[in-house]
PDB file of all heavy atoms in Angstrom:
ATOM      1  N   ILE A 314     -12.045  -7.381   2.765  1.00  0.00           N
ATOM      2  CA  ILE A 314     -10.765  -7.367   2.071  1.00  0.00           C
ATOM      3  C   ILE A 314      -9.953  -6.298   2.795  1.00  0.00           C
ATOM      4  O   ILE A 314     -10.347  -5.119   2.797  1.00  0.00           O
ATOM      5  CB  ILE A 314     -10.949  -6.987   0.589  1.00  0.00           C
ATOM      6  CG1 ILE A 314     -11.882  -7.984  -0.105  1.00  0.00           C
ATOM      7  CG2 ILE A 314      -9.603  -6.876  -0.110  1.00  0.00           C
ATOM      8  CD1 ILE A 314     -12.412  -7.505  -1.441  1.00  0.00           C
ATOM      9  N   CYS A 315      -8.853  -6.699   3.437  1.00  0.00           N
ATOM     10  CA  CYS A 315      -8.132  -5.760   4.300  1.00  0.00           C
ATOM     11  C   CYS A 315      -6.680  -5.592   3.892  1.00  0.00           C
ATOM     12  O   CYS A 315      -6.016  -6.557   3.492  1.00  0.00           O
ATOM     13  CB  CYS A 315      -8.183  -6.226   5.753  1.00  0.00           C
ATOM     14  SG  CYS A 315      -9.856  -6.279   6.426  1.00  0.00           S
ATOM     15  N   PHE A 316      -6.201  -4.361   4.028  1.00  0.00           N
ATOM     16  CA  PHE A 316      -4.790  -4.051   3.807  1.00  0.00           C
ATOM     17  C   PHE A 316      -4.271  -3.302   5.022  1.00  0.00           C
ATOM     18  O   PHE A 316      -4.869  -2.324   5.466  1.00  0.00           O
ATOM     19  CB  PHE A 316      -4.591  -3.187   2.558  1.00  0.00           C
ATOM     20  CG  PHE A 316      -3.144  -2.810   2.338  1.00  0.00           C
ATOM     21  CD1 PHE A 316      -2.246  -3.730   1.816  1.00  0.00           C
ATOM     22  CD2 PHE A 316      -2.690  -1.551   2.685  1.00  0.00           C
ATOM     23  CE1 PHE A 316      -0.915  -3.398   1.626  1.00  0.00           C
ATOM     24  CE2 PHE A 316      -1.355  -1.206   2.506  1.00  0.00           C
ATOM     25  CZ  PHE A 316      -0.472  -2.133   1.978  1.00  0.00           C
ATOM     26  N   THR A 317      -3.136  -3.777   5.542  1.00  0.00           N
ATOM     27  CA  THR A 317      -2.454  -3.104   6.645  1.00  0.00           C
ATOM     28  C   THR A 317      -1.009  -2.899   6.226  1.00  0.00           C
ATOM     29  O   THR A 317      -0.304  -3.875   5.909  1.00  0.00           O
ATOM     30  CB  THR A 317      -2.510  -3.950   7.938  1.00  0.00           C
ATOM     31  OG1 THR A 317      -3.878  -4.170   8.271  1.00  0.00           O
ATOM     32  CG2 THR A 317      -1.816  -3.241   9.082  1.00  0.00           C
ATOM     33  N   SER A 318      -0.581  -1.656   6.199  1.00  0.00           N
ATOM     34  CA  SER A 318       0.787  -1.374   5.779  1.00  0.00           C
ATOM     35  C   SER A 318       1.773  -1.699   6.893  1.00  0.00           C
ATOM     36  O   SER A 318       1.470  -1.565   8.078  1.00  0.00           O
ATOM     37  CB  SER A 318       0.927   0.091   5.365  1.00  0.00           C
ATOM     38  OG  SER A 318       0.753   0.945   6.475  1.00  0.00           O
ATOM     39  N   ASP A 319       2.953  -2.153   6.479  1.00  0.00           N
ATOM     40  CA  ASP A 319       4.072  -2.348   7.393  1.00  0.00           C
ATOM     41  C   ASP A 319       4.996  -1.137   7.347  1.00  0.00           C
ATOM     42  O   ASP A 319       5.583  -0.749   8.342  1.00  0.00           O
ATOM     43  CB  ASP A 319       4.863  -3.605   7.025  1.00  0.00           C
ATOM     44  CG  ASP A 319       4.044  -4.873   7.190  1.00  0.00           C
ATOM     45  OD1 ASP A 319       3.259  -4.947   8.158  1.00  0.00           O
ATOM     46  OD2 ASP A 319       4.180  -5.780   6.349  1.00  0.00           O
ATOM     47  N   LYS A 320       5.122  -0.566   6.134  1.00  0.00           N
ATOM     48  CA  LYS A 320       5.924   0.645   5.976  1.00  0.00           C
ATOM     49  C   LYS A 320       5.516   1.342   4.685  1.00  0.00           C
ATOM     50  O   LYS A 320       4.973   0.725   3.766  1.00  0.00           O
ATOM     51  CB  LYS A 320       7.412   0.338   5.976  1.00  0.00           C
ATOM     52  CG  LYS A 320       7.903  -0.436   4.774  1.00  0.00           C
ATOM     53  CD  LYS A 320       9.399  -0.665   4.854  1.00  0.00           C
ATOM     54  CE  LYS A 320       9.886  -1.453   3.643  1.00  0.00           C
ATOM     55  NZ  LYS A 320      11.314  -1.648   3.651  1.00  0.00           N
ATOM     56  N   ILE A 321       5.770   2.642   4.659  1.00  0.00           N
ATOM     57  CA  ILE A 321       5.507   3.439   3.468  1.00  0.00           C
ATOM     58  C   ILE A 321       6.786   4.211   3.171  1.00  0.00           C
ATOM     59  O   ILE A 321       7.351   4.863   4.052  1.00  0.00           O
ATOM     60  CB  ILE A 321       4.318   4.391   3.673  1.00  0.00           C
ATOM     61  CG1 ILE A 321       3.052   3.575   3.978  1.00  0.00           C
ATOM     62  CG2 ILE A 321       4.111   5.265   2.434  1.00  0.00           C
ATOM     63  CD1 ILE A 321       1.832   4.400   4.331  1.00  0.00           C
ATOM     64  N   THR A 322       7.229   4.103   1.924  1.00  0.00           N
ATOM     65  CA  THR A 322       8.447   4.787   1.510  1.00  0.00           C
ATOM     66  C   THR A 322       8.151   5.642   0.290  1.00  0.00           C
ATOM     67  O   THR A 322       7.094   5.512  -0.338  1.00  0.00           O
ATOM     68  CB  THR A 322       9.556   3.765   1.163  1.00  0.00           C
ATOM     69  OG1 THR A 322       9.066   2.882   0.149  1.00  0.00           O
ATOM     70  CG2 THR A 322       9.964   2.957   2.393  1.00  0.00           C
ATOM     71  N   LYS A 323       9.107   6.500  -0.036  1.00  0.00           N
ATOM     72  CA  LYS A 323       8.961   7.337  -1.225  1.00  0.00           C
ATOM     73  C   LYS A 323       9.942   6.843  -2.272  1.00  0.00           C
ATOM     74  O   LYS A 323      11.103   6.547  -1.976  1.00  0.00           O
ATOM     75  CB  LYS A 323       9.229   8.802  -0.900  1.00  0.00           C
ATOM     76  CG  LYS A 323       8.901   9.720  -2.062  1.00  0.00           C
ATOM     77  CD  LYS A 323       8.892  11.170  -1.667  1.00  0.00           C
ATOM     78  CE  LYS A 323       8.445  11.997  -2.862  1.00  0.00           C
ATOM     79  NZ  LYS A 323       8.352  13.405  -2.542  1.00  0.00           N
ATOM     80  N   SER A 324       9.470   6.740  -3.506  1.00  0.00           N
ATOM     81  CA  SER A 324      10.302   6.322  -4.622  1.00  0.00           C
ATOM     82  C   SER A 324       9.973   7.214  -5.807  1.00  0.00           C
ATOM     83  O   SER A 324       8.886   7.128  -6.375  1.00  0.00           O
ATOM     84  CB  SER A 324      10.019   4.853  -4.956  1.00  0.00           C
ATOM     85  OG  SER A 324      10.784   4.448  -6.063  1.00  0.00           O
ATOM     86  N   GLY A 325      10.907   8.089  -6.145  1.00  0.00           N
ATOM     87  CA  GLY A 325      10.631   9.057  -7.204  1.00  0.00           C
ATOM     88  C   GLY A 325       9.521   9.986  -6.750  1.00  0.00           C
ATOM     89  O   GLY A 325       9.528  10.479  -5.636  1.00  0.00           O
ATOM     90  N   GLY A 326       8.522  10.191  -7.574  1.00  0.00           N
ATOM     91  CA  GLY A 326       7.400  11.050  -7.218  1.00  0.00           C
ATOM     92  C   GLY A 326       6.246  10.314  -6.572  1.00  0.00           C
ATOM     93  O   GLY A 326       5.200  10.900  -6.323  1.00  0.00           O
ATOM     94  N   LYS A 327       6.430   9.011  -6.314  1.00  0.00           N
ATOM     95  CA  LYS A 327       5.343   8.207  -5.744  1.00  0.00           C
ATOM     96  C   LYS A 327       5.754   7.637  -4.398  1.00  0.00           C
ATOM     97  O   LYS A 327       6.914   7.628  -4.025  1.00  0.00           O
ATOM     98  CB  LYS A 327       4.985   7.051  -6.680  1.00  0.00           C
ATOM     99  CG  LYS A 327       4.347   7.503  -7.965  1.00  0.00           C
ATOM    100  CD  LYS A 327       3.806   6.326  -8.738  1.00  0.00           C
ATOM    101  CE  LYS A 327       3.075   6.850  -9.969  1.00  0.00           C
ATOM    102  NZ  LYS A 327       2.200   5.890 -10.545  1.00  0.00           N
ATOM    103  N   TYR A 328       4.751   7.125  -3.716  1.00  0.00           N
ATOM    104  CA  TYR A 328       4.961   6.437  -2.456  1.00  0.00           C
ATOM    105  C   TYR A 328       4.666   4.960  -2.684  1.00  0.00           C
ATOM    106  O   TYR A 328       3.877   4.607  -3.554  1.00  0.00           O
ATOM    107  CB  TYR A 328       4.045   7.012  -1.370  1.00  0.00           C
ATOM    108  CG  TYR A 328       4.269   8.480  -1.161  1.00  0.00           C
ATOM    109  CD1 TYR A 328       3.519   9.426  -1.855  1.00  0.00           C
ATOM    110  CD2 TYR A 328       5.264   8.922  -0.304  1.00  0.00           C
ATOM    111  CE1 TYR A 328       3.756  10.778  -1.685  1.00  0.00           C
ATOM    112  CE2 TYR A 328       5.506  10.278  -0.128  1.00  0.00           C
ATOM    113  CZ  TYR A 328       4.744  11.202  -0.823  1.00  0.00           C
ATOM    114  OH  TYR A 328       4.991  12.533  -0.662  1.00  0.00           O
ATOM    115  N   ILE A 329       5.302   4.118  -1.892  1.00  0.00           N
ATOM    116  CA  ILE A 329       5.068   2.681  -1.956  1.00  0.00           C
ATOM    117  C   ILE A 329       4.636   2.224  -0.570  1.00  0.00           C
ATOM    118  O   ILE A 329       5.378   2.381   0.400  1.00  0.00           O
ATOM    119  CB  ILE A 329       6.341   1.901  -2.370  1.00  0.00           C
ATOM    120  CG1 ILE A 329       6.913   2.424  -3.684  1.00  0.00           C
ATOM    121  CG2 ILE A 329       6.046   0.397  -2.432  1.00  0.00           C
ATOM    122  CD1 ILE A 329       6.054   2.179  -4.893  1.00  0.00           C
ATOM    123  N   ALA A 330       3.424   1.670  -0.491  1.00  0.00           N
ATOM    124  CA  ALA A 330       2.933   1.101   0.767  1.00  0.00           C
ATOM    125  C   ALA A 330       3.176  -0.399   0.698  1.00  0.00           C
ATOM    126  O   ALA A 330       2.587  -1.094  -0.137  1.00  0.00           O
ATOM    127  CB  ALA A 330       1.456   1.395   0.962  1.00  0.00           C
ATOM    128  N   GLN A 331       4.057  -0.882   1.552  1.00  0.00           N
ATOM    129  CA  GLN A 331       4.300  -2.312   1.636  1.00  0.00           C
ATOM    130  C   GLN A 331       3.530  -2.837   2.837  1.00  0.00           C
ATOM    131  O   GLN A 331       3.586  -2.250   3.920  1.00  0.00           O
ATOM    132  CB  GLN A 331       5.780  -2.605   1.792  1.00  0.00           C
ATOM    133  CG  GLN A 331       6.077  -4.100   1.809  1.00  0.00           C
ATOM    134  CD  GLN A 331       7.548  -4.382   1.987  1.00  0.00           C
ATOM    135  OE1 GLN A 331       8.198  -3.803   2.848  1.00  0.00           O
ATOM    136  NE2 GLN A 331       8.073  -5.269   1.157  1.00  0.00           N
ATOM    137  N   GLY A 332       2.799  -3.920   2.635  1.00  0.00           N
ATOM    138  CA  GLY A 332       2.017  -4.454   3.735  1.00  0.00           C
ATOM    139  C   GLY A 332       1.320  -5.737   3.365  1.00  0.00           C
ATOM    140  O   GLY A 332       1.617  -6.345   2.335  1.00  0.00           O
ATOM    141  N   LYS A 333       0.378  -6.103   4.192  1.00  0.00           N
ATOM    142  CA  LYS A 333      -0.317  -7.369   4.018  1.00  0.00           C
ATOM    143  C   LYS A 333      -1.745  -7.145   3.523  1.00  0.00           C
ATOM    144  O   LYS A 333      -2.501  -6.404   4.128  1.00  0.00           O
ATOM    145  CB  LYS A 333      -0.312  -8.136   5.327  1.00  0.00           C
ATOM    146  CG  LYS A 333       1.098  -8.593   5.696  1.00  0.00           C
ATOM    147  CD  LYS A 333       1.154  -9.275   7.019  1.00  0.00           C
ATOM    148  CE  LYS A 333       2.559  -9.713   7.357  1.00  0.00           C
ATOM    149  NZ  LYS A 333       3.579  -8.705   7.219  1.00  0.00           N
ATOM    150  N   LEU A 334      -2.057  -7.818   2.422  1.00  0.00           N
ATOM    151  CA  LEU A 334      -3.410  -7.802   1.872  1.00  0.00           C
ATOM    152  C   LEU A 334      -4.042  -9.150   2.197  1.00  0.00           C
ATOM    153  O   LEU A 334      -3.483 -10.200   1.861  1.00  0.00           O
ATOM    154  CB  LEU A 334      -3.386  -7.590   0.360  1.00  0.00           C
ATOM    155  CG  LEU A 334      -4.751  -7.677  -0.335  1.00  0.00           C
ATOM    156  CD1 LEU A 334      -5.663  -6.533   0.099  1.00  0.00           C
ATOM    157  CD2 LEU A 334      -4.580  -7.672  -1.849  1.00  0.00           C
ATOM    158  N   THR A 335      -5.187  -9.110   2.859  1.00  0.00           N
ATOM    159  CA  THR A 335      -5.938 -10.325   3.153  1.00  0.00           C
ATOM    160  C   THR A 335      -7.209 -10.295   2.322  1.00  0.00           C
ATOM    161  O   THR A 335      -8.026  -9.381   2.450  1.00  0.00           O
ATOM    162  CB  THR A 335      -6.269 -10.445   4.655  1.00  0.00           C
ATOM    163  OG1 THR A 335      -5.045 -10.447   5.388  1.00  0.00           O
ATOM    164  CG2 THR A 335      -7.039 -11.715   4.946  1.00  0.00           C
ATOM    165  N   LEU A 336      -7.326 -11.294   1.470  1.00  0.00           N
ATOM    166  CA  LEU A 336      -8.429 -11.378   0.521  1.00  0.00           C
ATOM    167  C   LEU A 336      -8.820 -12.839   0.397  1.00  0.00           C
ATOM    168  O   LEU A 336      -7.964 -13.691   0.144  1.00  0.00           O
ATOM    169  CB  LEU A 336      -7.975 -10.805  -0.824  1.00  0.00           C
ATOM    170  CG  LEU A 336      -8.844 -10.940  -2.050  1.00  0.00           C
ATOM    171  CD1 LEU A 336     -10.206 -10.313  -1.859  1.00  0.00           C
ATOM    172  CD2 LEU A 336      -8.152 -10.295  -3.248  1.00  0.00           C
ATOM    173  N   HIS A 337     -10.082 -13.146   0.633  1.00  0.00           N
ATOM    174  CA  HIS A 337     -10.591 -14.505   0.481  1.00  0.00           C
ATOM    175  C   HIS A 337      -9.826 -15.490   1.368  1.00  0.00           C
ATOM    176  O   HIS A 337      -9.533 -16.619   0.982  1.00  0.00           O
ATOM    177  CB  HIS A 337     -10.521 -14.912  -1.002  1.00  0.00           C
ATOM    178  CG  HIS A 337     -11.362 -16.097  -1.331  1.00  0.00           C
ATOM    179  ND1 HIS A 337     -10.810 -17.308  -1.672  1.00  0.00           N
ATOM    180  CD2 HIS A 337     -12.701 -16.272  -1.365  1.00  0.00           C
ATOM    181  CE1 HIS A 337     -11.765 -18.172  -1.918  1.00  0.00           C
ATOM    182  NE2 HIS A 337     -12.932 -17.565  -1.740  1.00  0.00           N
ATOM    183  N   GLY A 338      -9.460 -15.033   2.569  1.00  0.00           N
ATOM    184  CA  GLY A 338      -8.782 -15.892   3.538  1.00  0.00           C
ATOM    185  C   GLY A 338      -7.300 -16.092   3.293  1.00  0.00           C
ATOM    186  O   GLY A 338      -6.649 -16.842   4.004  1.00  0.00           O
ATOM    187  N   VAL A 339      -6.750 -15.429   2.289  1.00  0.00           N
ATOM    188  CA  VAL A 339      -5.329 -15.548   1.951  1.00  0.00           C
ATOM    189  C   VAL A 339      -4.659 -14.205   2.250  1.00  0.00           C
ATOM    190  O   VAL A 339      -5.153 -13.159   1.844  1.00  0.00           O
ATOM    191  CB  VAL A 339      -5.138 -15.911   0.462  1.00  0.00           C
ATOM    192  CG1 VAL A 339      -3.661 -15.951   0.091  1.00  0.00           C
ATOM    193  CG2 VAL A 339      -5.822 -17.228   0.133  1.00  0.00           C
ATOM    194  N   THR A 340      -3.530 -14.268   2.967  1.00  0.00           N
ATOM    195  CA  THR A 340      -2.780 -13.056   3.278  1.00  0.00           C
ATOM    196  C   THR A 340      -1.439 -13.106   2.561  1.00  0.00           C
ATOM    197  O   THR A 340      -0.704 -14.090   2.670  1.00  0.00           O
ATOM    198  CB  THR A 340      -2.554 -12.922   4.796  1.00  0.00           C
ATOM    199  OG1 THR A 340      -3.830 -12.880   5.444  1.00  0.00           O
ATOM    200  CG2 THR A 340      -1.779 -11.656   5.128  1.00  0.00           C
ATOM    201  N   LYS A 341      -1.149 -12.055   1.816  1.00  0.00           N
ATOM    202  CA  LYS A 341       0.123 -11.941   1.088  1.00  0.00           C
ATOM    203  C   LYS A 341       0.693 -10.545   1.297  1.00  0.00           C
ATOM    204  O   LYS A 341      -0.056  -9.574   1.417  1.00  0.00           O
ATOM    205  CB  LYS A 341      -0.083 -12.182  -0.407  1.00  0.00           C
ATOM    206  CG  LYS A 341      -0.492 -13.604  -0.741  1.00  0.00           C
ATOM    207  CD  LYS A 341      -0.303 -13.861  -2.211  1.00  0.00           C
ATOM    208  CE  LYS A 341      -0.458 -15.325  -2.516  1.00  0.00           C
ATOM    209  NZ  LYS A 341       0.665 -16.137  -2.137  1.00  0.00           N
ATOM    210  N   THR A 342       2.019 -10.480   1.309  1.00  0.00           N
ATOM    211  CA  THR A 342       2.696  -9.190   1.361  1.00  0.00           C
ATOM    212  C   THR A 342       2.749  -8.636  -0.056  1.00  0.00           C
ATOM    213  O   THR A 342       3.175  -9.332  -0.980  1.00  0.00           O
ATOM    214  CB  THR A 342       4.115  -9.336   1.934  1.00  0.00           C
ATOM    215  OG1 THR A 342       4.009  -9.826   3.273  1.00  0.00           O
ATOM    216  CG2 THR A 342       4.835  -8.000   1.956  1.00  0.00           C
ATOM    217  N   ILE A 343       2.277  -7.405  -0.206  1.00  0.00           N
ATOM    218  CA  ILE A 343       2.279  -6.760  -1.521  1.00  0.00           C
ATOM    219  C   ILE A 343       2.801  -5.331  -1.374  1.00  0.00           C
ATOM    220  O   ILE A 343       2.917  -4.808  -0.269  1.00  0.00           O
ATOM    221  CB  ILE A 343       0.883  -6.736  -2.181  1.00  0.00           C
ATOM    222  CG1 ILE A 343      -0.104  -5.852  -1.394  1.00  0.00           C
ATOM    223  CG2 ILE A 343       0.340  -8.151  -2.346  1.00  0.00           C
ATOM    224  CD1 ILE A 343      -1.399  -5.583  -2.147  1.00  0.00           C
ATOM    225  N   GLU A 344       3.087  -4.733  -2.509  1.00  0.00           N
ATOM    226  CA  GLU A 344       3.443  -3.319  -2.560  1.00  0.00           C
ATOM    227  C   GLU A 344       2.394  -2.595  -3.394  1.00  0.00           C
ATOM    228  O   GLU A 344       2.067  -3.038  -4.500  1.00  0.00           O
ATOM    229  CB  GLU A 344       4.833  -3.129  -3.175  1.00  0.00           C
ATOM    230  CG  GLU A 344       5.940  -3.628  -2.292  1.00  0.00           C
ATOM    231  CD  GLU A 344       7.316  -3.326  -2.852  1.00  0.00           C
ATOM    232  OE1 GLU A 344       7.443  -2.942  -4.040  1.00  0.00           O
ATOM    233  OE2 GLU A 344       8.291  -3.479  -2.096  1.00  0.00           O
ATOM    234  N   ILE A 345       1.881  -1.519  -2.832  1.00  0.00           N
ATOM    235  CA  ILE A 345       0.872  -0.726  -3.523  1.00  0.00           C
ATOM    236  C   ILE A 345       1.458   0.657  -3.794  1.00  0.00           C
ATOM    237  O   ILE A 345       1.816   1.379  -2.862  1.00  0.00           O
ATOM    238  CB  ILE A 345      -0.411  -0.604  -2.681  1.00  0.00           C
ATOM    239  CG1 ILE A 345      -1.029  -1.996  -2.465  1.00  0.00           C
ATOM    240  CG2 ILE A 345      -1.410   0.336  -3.355  1.00  0.00           C
ATOM    241  CD1 ILE A 345      -2.263  -1.986  -1.598  1.00  0.00           C
ATOM    242  N   PRO A 346       1.570   1.045  -5.075  1.00  0.00           N
ATOM    243  CA  PRO A 346       2.054   2.386  -5.398  1.00  0.00           C
ATOM    244  C   PRO A 346       0.963   3.414  -5.092  1.00  0.00           C
ATOM    245  O   PRO A 346      -0.219   3.169  -5.347  1.00  0.00           O
ATOM    246  CB  PRO A 346       2.346   2.310  -6.895  1.00  0.00           C
ATOM    247  CG  PRO A 346       1.441   1.228  -7.397  1.00  0.00           C
ATOM    248  CD  PRO A 346       1.259   0.259  -6.266  1.00  0.00           C
ATOM    249  N   LEU A 347       1.377   4.546  -4.537  1.00  0.00           N
ATOM    250  CA  LEU A 347       0.419   5.582  -4.138  1.00  0.00           C
ATOM    251  C   LEU A 347       0.871   6.953  -4.613  1.00  0.00           C
ATOM    252  O   LEU A 347       2.064   7.231  -4.676  1.00  0.00           O
ATOM    253  CB  LEU A 347       0.313   5.653  -2.616  1.00  0.00           C
ATOM    254  CG  LEU A 347      -0.112   4.409  -1.854  1.00  0.00           C
ATOM    255  CD1 LEU A 347       0.148   4.598  -0.369  1.00  0.00           C
ATOM    256  CD2 LEU A 347      -1.580   4.125  -2.106  1.00  0.00           C
ATOM    257  N   THR A 348      -0.100   7.778  -4.899  1.00  0.00           N
ATOM    258  CA  THR A 348       0.145   9.211  -5.012  1.00  0.00           C
ATOM    259  C   THR A 348      -0.730   9.878  -3.958  1.00  0.00           C
ATOM    260  O   THR A 348      -1.777   9.348  -3.580  1.00  0.00           O
ATOM    261  CB  THR A 348      -0.187   9.765  -6.418  1.00  0.00           C
ATOM    262  OG1 THR A 348      -1.550   9.464  -6.725  1.00  0.00           O
ATOM    263  CG2 THR A 348       0.718   9.154  -7.477  1.00  0.00           C
ATOM    264  N   PHE A 349      -0.287  11.012  -3.483  1.00  0.00           N
ATOM    265  CA  PHE A 349      -1.030  11.730  -2.443  1.00  0.00           C
ATOM    266  C   PHE A 349      -1.111  13.195  -2.836  1.00  0.00           C
ATOM    267  O   PHE A 349      -0.094  13.848  -3.057  1.00  0.00           O
ATOM    268  CB  PHE A 349      -0.306  11.585  -1.095  1.00  0.00           C
ATOM    269  CG  PHE A 349      -1.021  12.257   0.045  1.00  0.00           C
ATOM    270  CD1 PHE A 349      -2.207  11.748   0.540  1.00  0.00           C
ATOM    271  CD2 PHE A 349      -0.495  13.409   0.623  1.00  0.00           C
ATOM    272  CE1 PHE A 349      -2.865  12.362   1.598  1.00  0.00           C
ATOM    273  CE2 PHE A 349      -1.144  14.029   1.686  1.00  0.00           C
ATOM    274  CZ  PHE A 349      -2.317  13.506   2.169  1.00  0.00           C
ATOM    275  N   GLN A 350      -2.338  13.666  -2.953  1.00  0.00           N
ATOM    276  CA  GLN A 350      -2.549  15.077  -3.293  1.00  0.00           C
ATOM    277  C   GLN A 350      -3.923  15.495  -2.801  1.00  0.00           C
ATOM    278  O   GLN A 350      -4.908  14.767  -2.985  1.00  0.00           O
ATOM    279  CB  GLN A 350      -2.449  15.281  -4.803  1.00  0.00           C
ATOM    280  CG  GLN A 350      -2.532  16.727  -5.210  1.00  0.00           C
ATOM    281  CD  GLN A 350      -2.301  16.897  -6.709  1.00  0.00           C
ATOM    282  OE1 GLN A 350      -1.984  15.968  -7.431  1.00  0.00           O
ATOM    283  NE2 GLN A 350      -2.473  18.114  -7.174  1.00  0.00           N
ATOM    284  N   ASP A 351      -3.982  16.647  -2.178  1.00  0.00           N
ATOM    285  CA  ASP A 351      -5.250  17.221  -1.709  1.00  0.00           C
ATOM    286  C   ASP A 351      -6.044  16.238  -0.849  1.00  0.00           C
ATOM    287  O   ASP A 351      -7.246  16.044  -1.049  1.00  0.00           O
ATOM    288  CB  ASP A 351      -6.103  17.688  -2.889  1.00  0.00           C
ATOM    289  CG  ASP A 351      -5.426  18.747  -3.726  1.00  0.00           C
ATOM    290  OD1 ASP A 351      -4.673  19.567  -3.153  1.00  0.00           O
ATOM    291  OD2 ASP A 351      -5.618  18.755  -4.958  1.00  0.00           O
ATOM    292  N   ASN A 352      -5.374  15.597   0.096  1.00  0.00           N
ATOM    293  CA  ASN A 352      -5.995  14.621   1.007  1.00  0.00           C
ATOM    294  C   ASN A 352      -6.646  13.451   0.274  1.00  0.00           C
ATOM    295  O   ASN A 352      -7.661  12.922   0.701  1.00  0.00           O
ATOM    296  CB  ASN A 352      -7.002  15.286   1.939  1.00  0.00           C
ATOM    297  CG  ASN A 352      -6.338  15.790   3.195  1.00  0.00           C
ATOM    298  OD1 ASN A 352      -5.187  15.454   3.472  1.00  0.00           O
ATOM    299  ND2 ASN A 352      -7.037  16.569   3.967  1.00  0.00           N
ATOM    300  N   LYS A 353      -6.043  13.050  -0.828  1.00  0.00           N
ATOM    301  CA  LYS A 353      -6.542  11.912  -1.593  1.00  0.00           C
ATOM    302  C   LYS A 353      -5.377  10.994  -1.933  1.00  0.00           C
ATOM    303  O   LYS A 353      -4.376  11.426  -2.495  1.00  0.00           O
ATOM    304  CB  LYS A 353      -7.219  12.394  -2.876  1.00  0.00           C
ATOM    305  CG  LYS A 353      -7.728  11.287  -3.772  1.00  0.00           C
ATOM    306  CD  LYS A 353      -8.440  11.896  -4.967  1.00  0.00           C
ATOM    307  CE  LYS A 353      -8.127  11.148  -6.221  1.00  0.00           C
ATOM    308  NZ  LYS A 353      -8.746  11.723  -7.403  1.00  0.00           N
TER     309      LYS A 353
END
């Protein structure tokens, strides 16, 4: 199950990783909300 980001932006206090998720042979563009703190 693979995710490759196309771009990462900041929105408010969070980041949004937009990219392609490939799962079960299907690839879709999705947005994944992220927080980043202490290398996590």
